[in-house]
Amino acid sequence: MARARPTIADVAAHAGVSKGLVSFALNNRPGVAPQTRERILAIAEELGWQPSVRARSLSVARSFALGLVITRDPEIITSDPFYPSFIAGVERELSPAGQALVLSVVSNEREELASYRKLVADGRIDGAFITDLRHDDLRLGLVQELGLPAVTLGRPESRPGVSSIPAVAMEDAAGIEEAVDHLAGLGHRRIAHVAGPARMLHGSHRRQAFDTAMRRAGLEPDLVIETDFKAADGARATRHLLAGPDRPTAIVYANDPMAIAGLGVAQHAGLNVPGDLSITGFDGTDIGEHVYPALSTIVADPVRWGSAAARVLLRMIAGDPTEDVDLPPARFVRRKSSGPAPRTP
Amino acid sequence: MARARPTIADVAAHAGVSKGLVSFALNNRPGVAPQTRERILAIAEELGWQPSVRARSLSVARSFALGLVITRDPEIITSDPFYPSFIAGVERELSPAGQALVLSVVSNEREELASYRKLVADGRIDGAFITDLRHDDLRLGLVQELGLPAVTLGRPESRPGVSSIPAVAMEDAAGIEEAVDHLAGLGHRRIAHVAGPARMLHGSHRRQAFDTAMRRAGLEPDLVIETDFKAADGARATRHLLAGPDRPTAIVYANDPMAIAGLGVAQHAGLNVPGDLSITGFDGTDIGEHVYPALSTIVADPVRWGSAAARVLLRMIAGDPTEDVDLPPARFVRRKSSGPAPRTP
DNA sequence: CTCAGAGTCTATACCGGTTTAAATGCTGCG
DNA sequence: CGCAGCATTTAAACCGGTATAGACTCTGAG
């Protein structure tokens, strides 16, 4: 019969001391005689004692877990590479810290808020990641209201009150500007942007960066189509752009799946990429490297982003002072899908 | 000042009964007078009482959470669409059941086993999903040893002892056979297979299905290359196949990212797809639909798989009898990347 | 020699539920 | 009328930790 796992009381009994003292010893608290402490630790070791997260949770009112709520329509099978990588980065920090990651996937904003509330009400998490920031994001007020430590990915435009919500930001605008500069430098004048949803902060950031870079190059950023970041949207937007009267010679997409879909549409229409049309993506999925022609894109580092965000959040929960973190900006990587503008006929 | 949330003791005090009776009433246990029960429920409602998962966890020795351990190298940004969808399906069941999902991402098998152990030792989970089954999978013995309720995705080849590990299986072989039949029917004789890792059960299943279908069509399944499911592997395998002496006219890939990479390689080599080379994938990512030519592939339903697996696991934990579940088989979907075999020169 | 104070350690309450044994009240039967 | 038997309810233990007040050394200064 498997012996039940030892509790702190067993350790206390074996050591001939009280429970409380064992607790002190195990938590490196002062007030325990050095040799007693050692004896207790040795016995705990020998008995194979491990703390019960459950019991500790109840008594210290913490859960030793962090929460991530992802909002997306589950029916839409999207090969967004961000989350898997981001989560891997988060785990890398949590695991050694003895923390767990609680994941929730919901379909819409209503459920999203409800999910945060529920996770907190159930005492499942001690802190949360806020990803995919939106304009007037209700989650910022919510975590404040709930008193839930949180970190945002990217800087929110405004934080409620004298906020204590640190941001871990990666400047994605720089990459877009690089891409536009690159294209303009290749002689492109009609450059379009297939943007992400404007209500999402990174969607509009990238768009603003596009506008800025275009104006700086003396071009009018008038060919912009807003999408939902889905491959199908990218295809639709591309068809629309190519069917237009004065079609672009280059398209800057807000993510890789849309760029790849756009590439497909262009090729389907008989265009040569990059001969007739240059294309750039955003995110650096591994597939982009292998399509033909290889996709010029803007690469970020979601694994690192995850680690950084987790570190900030852990520090915050520990009560240490935190401040915003700036990660190295996303960089434009030239591959084969972008080239010189076609000679005007 | 925010009133602390009410405990069962508050409810008891307001109702003028004992804690124990409140607990009975709230859990629909017999032995409580109907009108007392109602009064208690009304007061609990009025006070906005919610059970404390933490306290309940400690006293009933359950965590009300399920675990998913994903093994993959975090540095490899892979756009595998399976997990996000699978998780969405799982969540759809867990959330209404008041259960949470604890996610762990690890880099290799050693960490994987350690992760299961840790999750159980910490009492974080009541059950686990076992995905990406391998031959002689150590996890089966482990969950048995740990007494951890578990469900496998797909049927393991053998289960330890008189196993109590139910499987939720989706017949993926059927799709591969359909694909081969389709290609053979179009006149292809040299059909290659870019397979997944042989140590993974679905990798070798798909390969077996390929062999079977080939033999049935009177063809020799001699062009098979084993890979690690990564896009880069797909590209490499394709280059190898195309450089060979007697190059194939069709390639069946074990997943979509590899197929898309293969498509890129073929096009890069100046081949027309499907004119010179037919290509099929596996998984039905949304991108496949939008590349040019649209990828013929085999579509599964990971969302449904997730829901089914979660249901089985929940039932198991509840102590209800469970049995294996068979989901509808993956189906071949013909799109544009497969066509008649080229006329032999 | 006494007493203050530091250093150790114990006893006990507490976190918020569940569970069990025992107490209470009521009904109906002999 | 007495008592078995049932339904209802209470009190208290328990899950496994943490936290706090107080008790018990021992030392050193006055």
Side-chain angles (χ1 to χ4, degrees), chain B residues 31-52:
Chain B
V32 183
Q35 89 226 34
T36 312
R37 177 187 309 270
E38 268 186 38
R39 186 159 45 91
I40 292 174
L41 293 182
I43 290 177
E45 170 78 49
E46 184 193 325
L47 261 42
W49 176 85
Q50 285 180 271
S52 153

Side-chain angles (χ1 to χ4, degrees), chain A residues 214-239:
Chain A
M214 285 291 279
R215 292 237 165 70
R216 199 171 49 207
L219 303 172
E220 201 52 40
D222 52 352
L223 285 175
V224 176
I225 297 187
E226 186 185 326
T227 70
D228 242 356
F229 268 141
K230 293 182 295 214
D233 293 339
R236 199 174 314 121
T238 308
R239 269 190 292 272

Side-chain angles (χ1 to χ4, degrees), chain B:
Chain B
M1 172 193 144
R3 195 158 42 258
R5 80 188 249 177
T7 74
I8 218 172
D10 298 323
V11 176
H14 277 76
V17 298
S18 69
K19 270 172 61 178
L21 196 63
V22 173
S23 174
F24 279 2
L26 292 167
N27 291 301
N28 289 319
R29 278 259 231 308
V32 183
Q35 89 226 34
T36 312
R37 177 187 309 270
E38 268 186 38
R39 186 159 45 91
I40 292 174
L41 293 182
I43 290 177
E45 170 78 49
E46 184 193 325
L47 261 42
W49 176 85
Q50 285 180 271
S52 153
V53 175
R54 279 177 195 147
R56 211 203 292 260
S57 281
L58 180 59
S59 81
V60 302
R62 295 208 353 190
S63 51
F64 306 99
L66 268 36
L68 175 62
V69 178
I70 299 180
T71 308
R72 70 157 59 164
D73 184 343
E75 293 308 346
I76 295 170
I77 300 182
T78 152
S79 40
D80 179 357
F82 178 78
Y83 279 112
S85 306
F86 175 77
I87 290 172
V90 167
E91 270 287 315
R92 180 171 296 181
E93 297 295 324
L94 294 201
S95 176
Q99 305 274 326
L101 179 67
V102 173
L103 183 67
S104 175
V105 178
V106 298
S107 316
N108 55 55
E109 287 186 39
R110 197 177 43 71
E111 289 180 12
E112 180 185 51
L113 295 175
S115 181
Y116 281 101
R117 278 190 192 284
K118 176 107 178 106
L119 288 172
V120 171
D122 285 356
R124 298 262 194 196
I125 58 174
D126 299 329
F129 298 95
I130 299 184
T131 61
D132 289 330
L133 275 176
R134 296 179 293 264
H135 290 282
D136 302 317
D137 204 305
L138 294 173
R139 291 172 294 175
L140 299 179
L142 180 64
V143 298
Q144 199 96 334
E145 173 199 333
L146 296 173
L148 178 70
V151 187
T152 60
L153 266 61
R155 275 195 188 74
E157 37 194 0
S158 65
R159 305 183 216 185
V162 183
S163 174
S164 52
I165 308 177
V168 176
M170 172 175 295
E171 192 44 75
D172 46 7
I176 292 277
E177 294 182 24
E178 276 185 72
V180 172
D181 291 350
H182 161 73
L183 292 168
L186 287 168
H188 293 273
R189 302 284 85 137
R190 300 282 298 155
I191 305 176
H193 180 40
V194 175
R199 67 176 193 289
M200 299 187 75
L201 232 50
H202 51 299
S204 59
H205 274 168
R206 290 175 198 177
R207 178 181 178 157
Q208 271 166 30
F210 176 77
D211 287 4
T212 307
M214 286 291 279
R215 294 238 164 69
R216 198 171 50 207
L219 302 172
E220 203 51 40
D222 52 353
L223 287 175
V224 175
I225 297 187
E226 188 186 325
T227 69
D228 242 357
F229 268 141
K230 294 183 293 213
D233 294 338
R236 200 174 314 123
T238 307
R239 268 191 293 272
H240 185 79
L241 286 169
L242 296 183
D246 190 14
R247 78 165 189 234
T249 62
I251 306 180
V252 174
Y253 292 83
N255 74 3
D256 268 16
M258 291 199 297
I260 293 173
L263 176 62
V265 167
Q267 292 174 334
H268 187 65
L271 296 179
N272 177 280
V273 175
D276 302 316
L277 180 71
S278 284
I279 279 179
T280 68
F282 197 121
D283 263 355
T285 66
D286 57 345
I287 292 191
E289 224 173 308
H290 300 286
V291 296
Y292 179 75
L295 189 66
S296 294
T297 193
I298 295 154
V299 302
D301 188 346
V303 176
R304 184 165 177 179
W305 210 345
S307 302
R311 271 197 304 274
V312 170
L313 199 43
L314 287 176
R315 217 172 303 143
M316 212 176 150
I317 290 170
D320 297 343
T322 56
E323 44 187 33
D324 289 2
V325 173
D326 283 292
L327 298 172
R331 306 291 318 222
F332 177 71
V333 174
R334 178 176 184 178
R335 292 206 279 250
K336 303 291 186 187
S337 66
S338 53
R343 282 184 306 279
T344 36

